[in-house]
Amino acid sequence: MCNCIKQTGEGFVAHKAMLVNALSRAIADRVSLMDNTLGRKGLLGYLKALGGSNVIKVIPSNGSASGVQATGKRLKVVCGANTSYLADSDWIGDKTPLTLCEVRVSPSNTVKPNVGASELADALIRVLPFTASDDARPILQCVKFEAKEGKLKLISADGFRLAVIALDFEGEGQALINRDDLKGIINALKRAKRARVSFEDGGEKLTSTNLVIDTELIRYKWTGVDGNYPDYEKLIPTEFNCQAHFDTVEAIKAVNSLKALSSGKDYPIDLTIGDGKIVMANPDDKGQAELTADTDGEVKIRVDGQYLAEALRACGGMVELKLTNAYSPMLFTVNGYQLVVMPMLTTEANEQAKKDREAKAETEPTNEPSESETTE
């Protein structure tokens, strides 16, 4: 959406710099302008090349041009001494992606924000890395937007990790949006002064939901993917035997030092937590690093080094790590952000899991009939 100086008849008058700024921030490859669709990059380059004035007037071609210009579907653009006619589909080729944004004429800023633009950008940065890369799992390639009970949650999962972040929000709705459609919006949100998130019914199927993000200059709309997202809340652990509070910056340095000792792409790391410290060690006894931490309880667990590094970068600053045992999911938490990471199972962890299952089975009541019932 572009805020213009004034509307004039069927067209509008706008500051060229404002229109250029709006188009440069858009992430789509096609732009809808007064019922005409143009290639965004071509239109942007054309507007930048115009000279003579910083004011542009855009109106539908009204027959004042000759020949084809008067009869075709065109826009008349006037900028100082320059007059041009832009045809529908100009700068659009066979290989131009089918991504679309809209330039809307408004006499004033009409965006009433309901979420912080920078906070939304940060939330996307924290969930996008944990979507699935496997094309056979299209639902897990999406970020779930879920608005209810005063919160807007962004959820992503890849089968080994689950990321959930909650922002204050008034409204309800939900949509599944493919991660590839969301990557470009992060930079746009960082540059925006305000943002508004909403949900609209639509799409090819009646069950589809559109996600709409309005900034002061551009409206972005994505059609949601149809499908059922896993019940992610059941995957977040709630009972813990060990907790550690530590600095992710120092932890990342430790992970990198252990990565340098590994000869392969994969580098498992053993974490031993307790006694006010976290010891990170290479399973082959090639090296270890020790971190100071506020700890409660003791646990030893093995985790994929790459998963650990990505989790620490996503959390940033001081993080709380909560664990149950050597074989249960790990939970990283910080300021409304939750990241669940599955551990790597070792022989020791499998043996512990087996013992715990057997102990649980012994304490569970049986369904065998009582003595009084068998004698009746």
Side-chain angles (χ1 to χ4, degrees), residues 115-179:
V115 65
S118 60
E119 286 81 358
L120 183 57
D122 181 65
L124 285 168
I125 290 172
R126 286 181 159 185
V127 298
L128 282 176
F130 307 108
T131 51
S133 57
D134 186 359
D135 291 337
R137 310 175 78 180
I139 297 300
L140 293 186
Q141 288 185 319
C142 297
V143 172
K144 181 178 183 181
F145 289 74
E146 180 183 77
K148 63 179 182 180
E149 299 175 353
K151 295 291 183 180
L152 172 65
K153 291 184 178 180
L154 279 64
I155 306 107
S156 66
D158 62 3
F160 301 96
R161 297 167 295 179
L162 166 69
V164 181
I165 189 165
L167 306 174
D168 291 334
F169 185 83
E170 293 298 330
E172 294 186 355
Q174 61 178 8
L176 292 175
I177 308 300
N178 187 277
R179 61 173 187 174

Side-chain angles (χ1 to χ4, degrees), residues 48-360:
K48 288 181 176 179
L50 284 176
S53 175
N54 192 38
V55 176
I56 296 177
K57 182 177 181 181
V58 181
I59 58 174
S61 180
N62 57 10
S64 59
S66 61
V68 178
Q69 292 177 336
T71 57
K73 185 179 180 182
R74 293 173 178 262
L75 294 175
K76 182 179 179 180
V77 180
V78 180
C79 180
N82 299 291
T83 301
S84 305
Y85 293 88
L86 308 182
D88 188 39
S89 299
D90 270 353
W91 301 297
I92 293 178
D94 295 336
K95 296 183 179 181
T96 304
L98 293 171
T99 52
L100 186 68
C101 66
E102 178 185 359
V103 176
R104 298 167 57 195
V105 181
S106 174
S108 62
N109 194 318
T110 58
V111 175
K112 184 179 180 180
N114 60 2
V115 65
S118 60
E119 286 81 358
L120 183 57
D122 181 65
L124 285 168
I125 290 172
R126 286 181 159 185
V127 298
L128 282 176
F130 307 108
T131 51
S133 57
D134 186 359
D135 291 337
R137 310 175 78 180
I139 297 300
L140 293 186
Q141 288 185 319
C142 297
V143 172
K144 181 178 183 181
F145 289 74
E146 180 183 77
K148 63 179 182 180
E149 299 175 353
K151 295 291 183 180
L152 172 65
K153 291 184 178 180
L154 279 64
I155 306 107
S156 66
D158 62 3
F160 301 96
R161 297 167 295 179
L162 166 69
V164 181
I165 189 165
L167 306 174
D168 291 334
F169 185 83
E170 293 298 330
E172 294 186 355
Q174 61 178 8
L176 292 175
I177 308 300
N178 187 277
R179 61 173 187 174
D180 293 336
D181 295 336
L182 294 168
K183 291 179 179 178
I185 189 64
I186 294 175
N187 287 333
L189 287 170
K190 287 181 177 179
R191 298 171 60 184
K193 296 179 180 178
R194 54 188 61 85
R196 181 174 182 82
V197 175
S198 58
F199 301 88
E200 296 180 352
D201 294 332
E204 296 179 357
K205 299 181 180 179
L206 295 177
T207 55
S208 297
T209 302
N210 293 333
L211 172 71
V212 180
I213 298 179
D214 282 295
T215 67
E216 69 275 11
L217 294 179
I218 301 289
R219 160 170 278 209
Y220 304 92
K221 180 186 290 187
W222 299 271
T223 299
V225 175
D226 288 291
N228 295 318
Y229 202 79
D231 189 355
Y232 68 92
E233 292 181 336
K234 293 182 178 179
L235 304 176
I236 302 175
T238 56
E239 297 181 0
F240 311 99
N241 297 319
C242 178
Q243 299 185 38
H245 188 253
F246 60 96
D247 185 359
T248 59
V249 176
E250 295 302 317
I252 291 172
K253 292 179 181 178
V255 172
N256 289 338
S257 68
L258 294 174
K259 179 182 179 181
L261 295 173
S262 176
S263 58
K265 181 179 179 181
D266 298 327
Y267 54 105
I269 294 177
D270 287 333
L271 301 180
T272 303
I273 301 172
D275 296 327
K277 61 184 178 181
I278 300 175
V279 178
M280 298 186 182
N282 183 292
D284 298 327
D285 294 327
K286 290 184 177 181
Q288 70 175 40
E290 186 175 305
L291 303 174
T292 300
D294 292 329
T295 63
D296 181 11
E298 297 182 357
V299 163
K300 182 178 180 179
I301 193 168
R302 180 171 293 178
V303 61
D304 182 287
Q306 180 178 343
Y307 286 0
L308 178 59
E310 290 175 348
L312 295 172
R313 284 194 292 267
C315 293
M318 301 298 294
V319 67
E320 191 83 20
L321 173 59
K322 302 179 181 181
L323 308 100
T324 305
N325 47 48
Y327 57 85
S328 297
M330 311 163 61
L331 177 63
F332 296 84
T333 63
V334 56
N335 296 330
Y337 179 56
Q338 295 177 303
L339 179 58
V340 179
V341 179
M342 293 298 297
M344 300 177 70
L345 295 182
T346 62
T347 301
E348 182 180 351
N350 283 325
E351 290 176 354
Q352 181 183 343
K354 182 179 179 181
K355 290 179 181 179
D356 290 346
R357 287 194 299 268
E358 292 174 350
K360 183 178 181 181

